[in-house]
Amino acid sequence: MGLDFSVIPKYLDIVLLGAVWTIAITIGAAVVSFFGGILLAVIALYAPKIIRWPFQAFSFLFLGTPLLLQLFLIYFGLVQIGIDVPAFMAGVIGLGLHFAVYNSELFQTSILAVDKGQAEAARTLGLSRMQTLRKVVVPQAVRDVIPPIGNNMIALLKDSALVSVIGVSELTLSAQRAIGSTYRPFEFYVLVAAIYYIINLVMEAVLRHVERRIQVSR
Amino acid sequence: MSNPHPFVDIRHAQKSFGTLEVLKDISLQVDRGQIVAIIGPSGSGKSTLLRAINDLDPLTGGEIWLEDKQINKSLPYRQYEKNINDVRQEIGMVFQHFNLFPHLKVRENVTLAPKMLKGLSDTEANALAEEQLTKVGMIERIDYYPSQLSGGQKQRVAIARALAMKPKVMLFDEATSALDPELVEEVNLVMKKLAEEDMTMIIVTHEMGFAESVCDRVLFMDQGVVVEEGPPDVIFRNPKNERTRNFLRKHLAGAAS
Ligand SMILES: Nc1ncnc2c1ncn2[C@@H]1O[C@H](COP(=O)(O)OP(=O)(O)OP(=O)(O)O)[C@@H](O)[C@H]1O
Ligand SMILES: [Mg+2]
């Protein structure tokens, strides 16, 4: 059986719709992982023990177990205790929290690396600890850690394929569906790989743009 | 006495970092509108004393008062925070390395604290920023980022940022010693202008000429104690203490070479 890419146009709309879902999940989870990561970092560094410990246990759980298992748990497991999370939401939350834990490690390092004089200057003006963190320290820490956070977001895009296992019709699952009707795995997997690659390129372009924009504010 | 406290009142200040005793029973009273210079060799405790005034380096003994408020009062955490944030609004501080907020433009550097702490509207805050930046001659750079400014310009913006809180006292910790020599004068001019407006100032400096021309009083510190204090012409022209004389001689020799 030779290759026949002429089957693609008929299924292109399904695949492109899958791409839209992939982008939506990636954006949703990226937002959760970004703000969740900042929150976790601030808690890890500054919260009293009684708040810090449960969050650290939670982080450890997310770091130490497979993402696949976490998605199963959120989607299939929580229903049993009465929490019915729709598949898309389960994907966004699972991916988002998983990467929030990774991002938190980066944010913690960069928060600690912000020059001590910055917080001192803010405190001398009369800002509280919280105000100093929010307006002076965290914005600079975020700015300094954009490149590695961007890499995490690209890893997140790739891991979003895992969400197919809980039935979200994202890119990978829609390819499988097209393959199910056409028996043309090579053609569709190549197509889907190309689409992931294009999304990836766009993300990197956005990232470079952001990096250039913040250059002057160092 | 109508006013029981001098404006800034440091009483028997003591500070140790671990076993290292950095301030040993220092007392200093500064009246409203007075300008005091603190000089002394490196490591003598000048920065520590200045930073104790707004409790950045809390004292291990003694008291610090601003008018009728004790700054380093020991209070439960929340009350302490509230108390210290209130007093700090009244004390402006200028650092050797400027510590401008690099992620904010000049304008926002100046408006950040007034907006957050005094609830100024955007319009009010902008007017305030323009007023303070005009005073330090930096109005043209209001929409620049700190990274786009020279050291002298950064320090003038840092002064405007502190002034925007309308402080009662200004503390300067070697405001010009990180600057290239040709940029020192523009910052000194701004400080002189403040002196003419009767701002109360405590100035840690290595610039004896400047100290002599603007200050009412000079303190010479060494190894955590005030060795000698007096009017500038006495301290600089006719010091009584041997250590003061040695320091000044060495310092002048160093500055000349
Ligand atoms: N956070 C700290 N922990 C430990 N020791 C410190 C700390 N800060 C200052 N010291 C020590 O306290 C002493 C006084 O330091 P300080 O910075 O007040 O001196 P200074 O007079 O300002 O000197 P310089 O002219 O070099 O700025 C020094 O021996 C210094 O090493
Ligand atoms: Mg010093």
Side-chain angles (χ1 to χ4, degrees):
Chain A
M1 193 156 112
L3 296 182
D4 178 11
F5 283 93
S6 68
V7 297
I8 286 179
K10 200 173 154 218
Y11 291 89
L12 197 58
D13 52 348
I14 295 182
V15 173
L16 289 182
L17 191 62
V20 170
W21 281 109
T22 288
I23 292 168
I25 284 192
T26 302
I27 292 175
V31 170
V32 170
S33 77
F34 186 81
F35 292 104
I38 293 173
L39 192 69
L40 288 176
V42 169
I43 288 171
L45 292 176
Y46 304 109
K49 280 195 190 104
I50 191 155
I51 300 174
R52 203 166 68 219
W53 284 354
F55 275 95
Q56 267 162 352
F58 160 90
S59 299
F60 188 73
L61 220 80
F62 266 84
L63 274 184
T65 60
L67 175 55
L68 191 63
L69 190 74
Q70 293 159 19
L71 291 172
F72 282 151
L73 190 66
I74 294 171
Y75 185 59
F76 298 115
L78 289 185
V79 171
Q80 276 177 269
I81 54 169
I83 308 172
D84 190 358
V85 190
F88 176 79
M89 286 304 292
V92 167
I93 294 168
L95 269 176
L97 293 183
H98 188 85
F99 279 89
V101 175
Y102 284 114
N103 286 348
S104 155
E105 310 267 310
L106 293 172
F107 285 133
Q108 282 179 51
T109 314
S110 69
I111 285 172
L112 292 177
V114 172
D115 178 18
K116 295 274 170 294
Q118 290 293 309
E120 280 183 358
R123 296 306 306 276
T124 2
L125 289 165
L127 268 65
S128 70
R129 276 171 202 275
M130 235 10 239
Q131 290 170 327
T132 299
L133 268 178
R134 217 172 68 232
K135 293 289 184 176
V136 174
V137 177
V138 168
Q140 292 184 56
V142 167
R143 178 202 68 184
D144 292 341
V145 86
I146 294 277
I149 292 283
N151 291 339
N152 275 359
M153 298 302 98
I154 286 166
L156 187 156
L157 163 70
K158 292 186 279 189
D159 280 353
S160 73
L162 282 174
V163 172
S164 59
V165 299
I166 55 171
V168 180
S169 310
E170 46 66 72
L171 202 43
T172 304
L173 187 58
S174 59
Q176 277 162 356
R177 293 211 170 117
I179 292 161
S181 336
T182 60
Y183 304 103
R184 292 260 165 213
F186 187 85
E187 289 85 341
F188 280 100
Y189 284 139
V190 167
L191 172 65
V192 162
I195 295 175
Y196 274 116
Y197 186 65
I198 290 167
I199 300 176
N200 199 326
L201 286 181
V202 172
M203 285 175 76
E204 278 180 27
V206 170
L207 197 61
R208 271 196 304 274
H209 178 71
V210 172
E211 279 172 44
R212 257 200 314 276
R213 282 286 299 276
I214 59 178
Q215 202 55 45
V216 64
S217 67
R218 281 179 189 280
Chain B
M1 266 200 309
S2 60
N3 183 0
H5 300 289
F7 206 49
V8 178
D9 191 359
I10 302 174
R11 301 180 192 164
H12 306 290
Q14 271 180 313
K15 172 71 179 179
S16 304
F17 291 106
T19 54
L20 180 70
E21 214 183 344
V22 176
L23 302 178
K24 304 166 190 166
D25 192 19
I26 291 193
S27 293
L28 166 66
Q29 281 78 40
V30 182
D31 292 330
R32 188 188 297 268
Q34 246 192 359
I35 301 170
V36 174
I38 303 176
I39 61 171
S42 182
S44 56
K46 307 181 296 293
S47 297
T48 308
L49 178 64
L50 205 65
R51 291 161 57 85
I53 295 176
N54 58 21
D55 223 31
L56 274 185
D57 281 340
L59 291 178
T60 38
E63 294 179 3
I64 303 217
W65 292 74
L66 174 64
E67 292 184 294
D68 53 355
K69 270 185 249 163
Q70 189 184 348
I71 293 169
N72 64 335
K73 196 145 87 192
S74 111
L75 290 166
Y77 177 74
R78 268 168 205 287
Q79 274 168 278
Y80 166 80
E81 279 291 306
K82 186 170 179 339
N83 180 54
I84 196 68
N85 292 338
D86 287 348
V87 231
R88 279 178 180 156
Q89 294 189 32
E90 314 201 306
I91 305 175
M93 180 142 189
V94 175
F95 301 86
Q96 184 176 0
H97 295 288
F98 331 124
N99 298 355
L100 287 181
F101 306 132
H103 62 300
L104 300 177
K105 288 181 176 173
V106 165
R107 180 195 304 274
E108 283 96 41
N109 264 277
V110 179
T111 59
L112 178 72
K115 271 163 96 168
M116 295 202 78
L117 302 173
K118 298 191 169 167
L120 263 57
S121 70
D122 284 347
T123 325
E124 291 166 330
N126 276 329
L128 177 66
E130 280 159 23
E131 176 198 343
Q132 299 305 333
L133 288 167
T134 305
K135 181 183 266 179
V136 301
M138 286 299 296
I139 188 71
E140 265 95 57
R141 298 282 192 270
I142 191 164
D143 286 315
Y144 283 50
Y145 280 99
S147 65
Q148 300 167 311
L149 306 178
S150 73
Q153 293 174 330
K154 282 183 193 165
Q155 196 59 297
R156 286 187 281 148
V157 172
I159 294 172
R161 176 177 70 177
L163 291 176
M165 288 305 287
K166 311 276 179 189
K168 293 176 172 164
V169 192
M170 288 284 287
L171 311 177
F172 293 85
D173 193 358
E174 299 192 34
T176 56
S177 58
L179 299 178
D180 292 336
E182 71 272 20
L183 302 178
V184 168
E185 198 47 35
E186 65 188 59
V187 174
N188 282 347
L189 281 176
V190 170
M191 291 170 69
K192 279 186 182 147
K193 202 156 148 189
L194 287 180
E196 282 156 19
E197 294 171 8
D198 288 328
M199 174 63 83
T200 310
M201 302 201 264
I202 304 178
I203 302 171
V204 170
T205 184
H206 283 300
E207 280 186 84
M208 305 309 156
F210 178 72
E212 187 167 1
S213 66
V214 301
C215 295
D216 303 308
R217 202 142 56 99
V218 180
L219 252 72
F220 171 65
M221 275 180 69
D222 194 9
Q223 297 180 2
V225 296
V226 176
V227 175
E228 188 167 354
E229 100 169 81
D233 51 335
V234 174
I235 298 288
F236 290 119
R237 307 283 154 200
N238 210 352
K240 298 190 175 43
N241 193 291
E242 181 65 30
R243 274 150 84 187
T244 317
R245 280 201 292 273
N246 279 339
F247 170 75
L248 288 171
R249 193 178 321 117
K250 271 196 213 128
H251 196 86
L252 290 176
S257 69

PDB file of all heavy atoms in Angstrom, chain B residues 52-68:
ATOM      1  N   ALA B  52      18.789  51.828  60.297  1.00  0.00           N
ATOM      2  CA  ALA B  52      18.032  51.594  61.527  1.00  0.00           C
ATOM      3  C   ALA B  52      16.929  52.638  61.668  1.00  0.00           C
ATOM      4  O   ALA B  52      15.894  52.379  62.270  1.00  0.00           O
ATOM      5  CB  ALA B  52      18.961  51.621  62.732  1.00  0.00           C
ATOM      6  N   ILE B  53      17.152  53.810  61.092  1.00  0.00           N
ATOM      7  CA  ILE B  53      16.187  54.892  61.276  1.00  0.00           C
ATOM      8  C   ILE B  53      14.827  54.528  60.693  1.00  0.00           C
ATOM      9  O   ILE B  53      13.798  54.903  61.242  1.00  0.00           O
ATOM     10  CB  ILE B  53      16.730  56.226  60.695  1.00  0.00           C
ATOM     11  CG1 ILE B  53      17.972  56.649  61.503  1.00  0.00           C
ATOM     12  CG2 ILE B  53      15.667  57.323  60.713  1.00  0.00           C
ATOM     13  CD1 ILE B  53      18.649  57.888  60.976  1.00  0.00           C
ATOM     14  N   ASN B  54      14.800  53.765  59.590  1.00  0.00           N
ATOM     15  CA  ASN B  54      13.470  53.297  59.145  1.00  0.00           C
ATOM     16  C   ASN B  54      13.291  51.792  59.349  1.00  0.00           C
ATOM     17  O   ASN B  54      12.466  51.164  58.703  1.00  0.00           O
ATOM     18  CB  ASN B  54      13.163  53.733  57.714  1.00  0.00           C
ATOM     19  CG  ASN B  54      14.186  53.228  56.748  1.00  0.00           C
ATOM     20  OD1 ASN B  54      14.881  52.267  57.037  1.00  0.00           O
ATOM     21  ND2 ASN B  54      14.267  53.847  55.599  1.00  0.00           N
ATOM     22  N   ASP B  55      14.110  51.262  60.244  1.00  0.00           N
ATOM     23  CA  ASP B  55      13.965  49.884  60.705  1.00  0.00           C
ATOM     24  C   ASP B  55      14.237  48.844  59.612  1.00  0.00           C
ATOM     25  O   ASP B  55      13.746  47.721  59.684  1.00  0.00           O
ATOM     26  CB  ASP B  55      12.572  49.648  61.308  1.00  0.00           C
ATOM     27  CG  ASP B  55      12.669  48.814  62.595  1.00  0.00           C
ATOM     28  OD1 ASP B  55      13.696  48.931  63.292  1.00  0.00           O
ATOM     29  OD2 ASP B  55      11.737  48.059  62.896  1.00  0.00           O
ATOM     30  N   LEU B  56      15.036  49.227  58.590  1.00  0.00           N
ATOM     31  CA  LEU B  56      15.461  48.209  57.615  1.00  0.00           C
ATOM     32  C   LEU B  56      16.416  47.228  58.279  1.00  0.00           C
ATOM     33  O   LEU B  56      16.399  46.040  57.989  1.00  0.00           O
ATOM     34  CB  LEU B  56      16.160  48.857  56.416  1.00  0.00           C
ATOM     35  CG  LEU B  56      15.332  49.361  55.247  1.00  0.00           C
ATOM     36  CD1 LEU B  56      16.251  49.835  54.130  1.00  0.00           C
ATOM     37  CD2 LEU B  56      14.368  48.319  54.728  1.00  0.00           C
ATOM     38  N   ASP B  57      17.296  47.757  59.115  1.00  0.00           N
ATOM     39  CA  ASP B  57      18.146  46.925  59.973  1.00  0.00           C
ATOM     40  C   ASP B  57      17.731  47.220  61.410  1.00  0.00           C
ATOM     41  O   ASP B  57      18.242  48.154  62.028  1.00  0.00           O
ATOM     42  CB  ASP B  57      19.636  47.298  59.814  1.00  0.00           C
ATOM     43  CG  ASP B  57      20.251  46.717  58.570  1.00  0.00           C
ATOM     44  OD1 ASP B  57      19.699  45.737  58.025  1.00  0.00           O
ATOM     45  OD2 ASP B  57      21.293  47.248  58.133  1.00  0.00           O
ATOM     46  N   PRO B  58      16.781  46.470  61.954  1.00  0.00           N
ATOM     47  CA  PRO B  58      16.271  46.801  63.288  1.00  0.00           C
ATOM     48  C   PRO B  58      17.385  46.774  64.346  1.00  0.00           C
ATOM     49  O   PRO B  58      18.273  45.924  64.291  1.00  0.00           O
ATOM     50  CB  PRO B  58      15.243  45.693  63.560  1.00  0.00           C
ATOM     51  CG  PRO B  58      14.885  45.154  62.217  1.00  0.00           C
ATOM     52  CD  PRO B  58      16.110  45.304  61.371  1.00  0.00           C
ATOM     53  N   LEU B  59      17.295  47.722  65.251  1.00  0.00           N
ATOM     54  CA  LEU B  59      18.283  47.799  66.325  1.00  0.00           C
ATOM     55  C   LEU B  59      18.142  46.609  67.270  1.00  0.00           C
ATOM     56  O   LEU B  59      17.072  46.022  67.384  1.00  0.00           O
ATOM     57  CB  LEU B  59      18.069  49.088  67.129  1.00  0.00           C
ATOM     58  CG  LEU B  59      18.387  50.407  66.434  1.00  0.00           C
ATOM     59  CD1 LEU B  59      18.075  51.574  67.375  1.00  0.00           C
ATOM     60  CD2 LEU B  59      19.847  50.437  65.991  1.00  0.00           C
ATOM     61  N   THR B  60      19.247  46.286  67.948  1.00  0.00           N
ATOM     62  CA  THR B  60      19.147  45.274  69.002  1.00  0.00           C
ATOM     63  C   THR B  60      18.986  45.941  70.362  1.00  0.00           C
ATOM     64  O   THR B  60      18.707  45.282  71.354  1.00  0.00           O
ATOM     65  CB  THR B  60      20.366  44.328  68.972  1.00  0.00           C
ATOM     66  OG1 THR B  60      21.541  45.083  68.662  1.00  0.00           O
ATOM     67  CG2 THR B  60      20.210  43.282  67.906  1.00  0.00           C
ATOM     68  N   GLY B  61      19.184  47.273  70.405  1.00  0.00           N
ATOM     69  CA  GLY B  61      18.949  47.997  71.655  1.00  0.00           C
ATOM     70  C   GLY B  61      18.761  49.472  71.371  1.00  0.00           C
ATOM     71  O   GLY B  61      19.230  49.970  70.348  1.00  0.00           O
ATOM     72  N   GLY B  62      18.036  50.158  72.241  1.00  0.00           N
ATOM     73  CA  GLY B  62      17.840  51.586  72.054  1.00  0.00           C
ATOM     74  C   GLY B  62      16.540  51.916  71.352  1.00  0.00           C
ATOM     75  O   GLY B  62      15.764  51.015  71.019  1.00  0.00           O
ATOM     76  N   GLU B  63      16.304  53.194  71.177  1.00  0.00           N
ATOM     77  CA  GLU B  63      15.035  53.640  70.607  1.00  0.00           C
ATOM     78  C   GLU B  63      15.266  54.644  69.486  1.00  0.00           C
ATOM     79  O   GLU B  63      16.222  55.414  69.516  1.00  0.00           O
ATOM     80  CB  GLU B  63      14.182  54.310  71.691  1.00  0.00           C
ATOM     81  CG  GLU B  63      13.740  53.355  72.773  1.00  0.00           C
ATOM     82  CD  GLU B  63      12.920  54.059  73.847  1.00  0.00           C
ATOM     83  OE1 GLU B  63      12.660  55.277  73.707  1.00  0.00           O
ATOM     84  OE2 GLU B  63      12.554  53.380  74.825  1.00  0.00           O
ATOM     85  N   ILE B  64      14.351  54.622  68.527  1.00  0.00           N
ATOM     86  CA  ILE B  64      14.376  55.627  67.465  1.00  0.00           C
ATOM     87  C   ILE B  64      13.005  56.267  67.382  1.00  0.00           C
ATOM     88  O   ILE B  64      11.995  55.573  67.287  1.00  0.00           O
ATOM     89  CB  ILE B  64      14.736  54.989  66.117  1.00  0.00           C
ATOM     90  CG1 ILE B  64      16.087  54.275  66.249  1.00  0.00           C
ATOM     91  CG2 ILE B  64      14.720  56.044  65.010  1.00  0.00           C
ATOM     92  CD1 ILE B  64      16.973  54.351  65.085  1.00  0.00           C
ATOM     93  N   TRP B  65      12.988  57.590  67.434  1.00  0.00           N
ATOM     94  CA  TRP B  65      11.729  58.324  67.384  1.00  0.00           C
ATOM     95  C   TRP B  65      11.715  59.288  66.209  1.00  0.00           C
ATOM     96  O   TRP B  65      12.720  59.905  65.891  1.00  0.00           O
ATOM     97  CB  TRP B  65      11.534  59.133  68.669  1.00  0.00           C
ATOM     98  CG  TRP B  65      11.311  58.295  69.895  1.00  0.00           C
ATOM     99  CD1 TRP B  65      12.243  57.566  70.562  1.00  0.00           C
ATOM    100  CD2 TRP B  65      10.072  58.099  70.575  1.00  0.00           C
ATOM    101  NE1 TRP B  65      11.665  56.923  71.641  1.00  0.00           N
ATOM    102  CE2 TRP B  65      10.330  57.240  71.670  1.00  0.00           C
ATOM    103  CE3 TRP B  65       8.765  58.570  70.386  1.00  0.00           C
ATOM    104  CZ2 TRP B  65       9.337  56.831  72.558  1.00  0.00           C
ATOM    105  CZ3 TRP B  65       7.784  58.178  71.274  1.00  0.00           C
ATOM    106  CH2 TRP B  65       8.073  57.310  72.341  1.00  0.00           C
ATOM    107  N   LEU B  66      10.549  59.397  65.591  1.00  0.00           N
ATOM    108  CA  LEU B  66      10.326  60.473  64.633  1.00  0.00           C
ATOM    109  C   LEU B  66       9.181  61.288  65.213  1.00  0.00           C
ATOM    110  O   LEU B  66       8.062  60.782  65.358  1.00  0.00           O
ATOM    111  CB  LEU B  66       9.951  59.914  63.257  1.00  0.00           C
ATOM    112  CG  LEU B  66       9.564  60.957  62.210  1.00  0.00           C
ATOM    113  CD1 LEU B  66      10.728  61.875  61.882  1.00  0.00           C
ATOM    114  CD2 LEU B  66       9.054  60.287  60.939  1.00  0.00           C
ATOM    115  N   GLU B  67       9.454  62.537  65.562  1.00  0.00           N
ATOM    116  CA  GLU B  67       8.502  63.361  66.318  1.00  0.00           C
ATOM    117  C   GLU B  67       7.994  62.582  67.525  1.00  0.00           C
ATOM    118  O   GLU B  67       8.774  62.159  68.363  1.00  0.00           O
ATOM    119  CB  GLU B  67       7.361  63.827  65.418  1.00  0.00           C
ATOM    120  CG  GLU B  67       7.827  64.825  64.360  1.00  0.00           C
ATOM    121  CD  GLU B  67       6.664  65.352  63.552  1.00  0.00           C
ATOM    122  OE1 GLU B  67       6.065  64.532  62.831  1.00  0.00           O
ATOM    123  OE2 GLU B  67       6.365  66.555  63.644  1.00  0.00           O
ATOM    124  N   ASP B  68       6.671  62.319  67.566  1.00  0.00           N
ATOM    125  CA  ASP B  68       6.167  61.652  68.765  1.00  0.00           C
ATOM    126  C   ASP B  68       5.898  60.164  68.542  1.00  0.00           C
ATOM    127  O   ASP B  68       5.189  59.536  69.309  1.00  0.00           O
ATOM    128  CB  ASP B  68       4.891  62.356  69.253  1.00  0.00           C
ATOM    129  CG  ASP B  68       3.872  62.464  68.145  1.00  0.00           C
ATOM    130  OD1 ASP B  68       4.207  62.076  66.999  1.00  0.00           O
ATOM    131  OD2 ASP B  68       2.756  62.933  68.415  1.00  0.00           O
TER     132      ASP B  68
END
